Amino acid sequence: MPLFQRSELRETEADLQDQVQAQGPEEVQLLGAVGEGAASPSTASPPAASSSAAHADALLEEALNMMVADLVWFLLLKYCAKEPTSKAEILNMVLKDHQDHFPVVLGQASECMQLVFGMDVKEVDPREHTYMLVPTLGLTCDAMLSDGQSFPKAGLLVVLLSVILLEGEPAPEEEVWGSLSNMGVHPLREHCICGEPRELLTRVWVQAGYLEYRQVPHSNPTCYEFLWGPRAHAETSRWQVLEYLFRVNRWNPRSFLSLCAEAVSDDKEGP
């Protein structure tokens, strides 16, 4: 099976971390900081001691980031091979001499898998600590992947369905691309995760039934708009997407009461 390049994955994570910090969710750290137990220099410490402690913190953070990137890479390989993994295997294959950091590294890798790739790390056997990747919100778009090389794209689909929901369905094409551009996703520009975005959005996911892409009636010049497709409605719901947005952005649902009511009403009525 073709392998991902670790350097490519780390560049992907670094790019997305910049994007998350730029546009949100601001509180969710993709690769995280050092755990709560990390030492911090005391304001009363001598300058040399403070400098030494800060240097130690920086080294620990860098080491944790590398372990998180290695675990994400490992989980992606397992997903492409359609294989589960276990705590014992992760400790043996990834963490090795750093097994005490397992909870922190697994937690940060799980956040990365959800935010970047739209995959949840699910513990399927708590007694044996066995894990599998499952699509966020039940979306199965990555079941279409067959070449063993492509990154899972469910994360982008979740973002796209969210944008359409927040823009008000149907969502004008220019507004959709404007929102995606904040993530570094631009039409006709190759992207490290989703490849050529326009092809993916207007052909692949339209043919798969996740999106509708149609001309705005009587528009001059011709304009287009995006809607949820029938497969998106079948696999998830507007309310589930809203709950996801509230969770990862730490939004207060009370600030979006009208949108929540509309989503519940639309889900009851169907597409």
Side-chain angles (χ1 to χ4, degrees), residues 9 17 27 59 78 88 154 170 182 238 248 253:
L9 177 58
Q17 186 175 22
E27 298 85 358
L59 289 177
K78 284 292 184 178
N182 293 328
R238 295 177 177 91
V248 301

Side-chain angles (χ1 to χ4, degrees), residues 120-142:
D120 292 329
V121 181
K122 182 177 181 181
E123 189 175 26
V124 293
D125 187 343
R127 187 170 57 182
E128 297 294 330
H129 298 293
T130 303
Y131 302 92
M132 287 197 70
L133 293 181
V134 296
T136 296
L137 303 181
L139 297 168
T140 63
C141 58
D142 289 316

Side-chain angles (χ1 to χ4, degrees), residues 4-75:
F4 295 110
Q5 296 297 319
R6 296 190 188 194
S7 60
E8 181 184 1
L9 177 58
R10 288 176 184 143
E11 290 173 3
T12 299
E13 292 177 329
D15 289 344
L16 192 87
Q17 186 175 22
D18 291 340
Q19 295 155 12
V20 168
Q21 291 172 344
Q23 68 152 27
E26 296 175 354
E27 298 85 358
V28 178
Q29 293 300 312
L30 182 60
L31 296 180
V34 183
E36 293 180 1
S40 58
S42 171
T43 55
S45 301
S50 298
S51 176
S52 176
H55 181 63
D57 285 350
L59 289 177
L60 179 56
E61 182 174 0
E62 181 179 358
L64 284 172
N65 288 346
M66 295 289 286
M67 285 185 274
V68 171
D70 285 344
L71 180 53
V72 169
W73 179 81
F74 178 77
L75 292 172

Side-chain angles (χ1 to χ4, degrees), residues 166 242 246 250-261:
L166 294 175
L242 273 182
F246 296 150
R250 300 183 184 179
W251 289 345
N252 186 343
R254 294 180 181 178
S255 302
F256 300 87
L257 290 178
S258 61
L259 188 58
C260 291

Side-chain angles (χ1 to χ4, degrees), residues 152-195:
K153 299 176 177 62
L156 179 63
L157 181 56
V158 172
V159 170
L160 182 57
L161 295 176
S162 302
V163 169
I164 294 172
L165 184 61
L166 294 175
E167 288 290 341
E169 196 171 7
E173 180 179 19
E174 61 271 19
E175 297 296 334
V176 170
W177 287 117
S179 296
L180 295 183
S181 67
N182 293 328
M183 301 175 51
V185 178
H186 304 275
L188 305 179
R189 184 186 301 179
E190 195 75 12
H191 188 270
C192 55
I193 294 177
C194 60

